[in-house]
Amino acid sequence: MLYYDYYQSPRGRILLVADDRALTGLYFAGQKYHPRIDKQWKRADKHEPLHQAKLELSEYFDGKRTQFSVKVAPQGTPFQRAVWKSIAGVQFGQTIAYAELARRAGRPGSARAAGAATGRNPISIIVPCHRIVGSNGSLTGYAGGLAKKRALLALEGRI
């Protein structure tokens, strides 16, 4: 069973999705790869992973949280999960290039593949793919849009 609810962030409406034990999705409205809500999903604003995610997101946007503790369980290929795990290790206020991300995920020289996996990250903000930048530090690709990426990095004091 999947559960869902919405969170109204300063950067727009966010769809939160969870299974019985963990957050499985966090998507900005209009984001690339935004899922359709299945009729079998249950809207549940008090479901623990969803409730915890909303509290932590509020603290993040208020500048009171730099790390998330909500349990996450993103679904993807083994390579995608390795990339997302590496993204999760990029600290608040820091950025790394896609080439470095590929190296950390165990596939040096695979920056493009790491970029593709980053674009498929189903739990943005909490798995902070906005912290991944081009080799020259430029802001490149973000499924939620470059304006949101820029705003999230500005919130973290990065730009």
Side-chain angles (χ1 to χ4, degrees):
M1 166 74 73
L2 288 179
Y3 304 88
Y4 76 96
D5 201 17
Y6 296 98
Y7 171 74
Q8 186 59 46
S9 83
R11 295 289 153 225
R13 190 176 193 198
I14 294 173
L15 169 66
L16 300 168
V17 182
D19 61 18
D20 289 326
R21 58 181 185 74
L23 192 69
T24 60
L26 186 158
Y27 307 92
F28 282 106
Q31 174 177 323
K32 201 173 190 181
Y33 311 116
H34 192 288
R36 285 201 177 116
I37 296 173
D38 188 281
K39 63 183 177 183
Q40 294 181 347
W41 294 8
K42 180 178 179 182
R43 186 157 186 190
D45 64 334
K46 301 290 188 226
H47 183 62
E48 181 54 35
L50 300 176
H51 181 71
Q52 184 178 354
K54 288 184 278 186
L55 289 174
E56 292 184 14
L57 285 166
S58 291
E59 293 169 352
Y60 171 80
F61 283 110
D62 286 344
K64 298 175 184 171
R65 176 174 289 276
T66 60
Q67 292 182 327
F68 292 92
S69 61
V70 64
K71 189 172 182 179
V72 297
Q75 301 299 306
T77 68
F79 177 68
Q80 287 173 327
R81 289 193 313 270
V83 168
W84 301 335
K85 183 177 181 180
S86 296
I87 291 170
V90 180
Q91 298 299 308
F92 182 92
Q94 301 297 310
T95 58
I96 63 169
Y98 290 97
E100 174 61 16
L101 176 62
R103 188 192 67 72
R104 290 183 185 187
R107 295 266 303 269
S110 299
R112 286 182 189 243
T118 301
R120 288 291 194 160
N121 172 20
I123 307 178
S124 65
I125 302 175
I126 293 173
V127 176
C129 52
H130 60 278
R131 297 178 188 157
I132 312 305
V133 298
S135 60
N136 63 357
S138 63
L139 301 188
T140 60
Y142 186 64
L146 286 180
K148 286 184 178 69
K149 183 172 188 165
R150 189 174 294 107
L152 294 170
L153 290 172
L155 174 71
E156 297 182 10
R158 190 63 190 161
I159 60 170

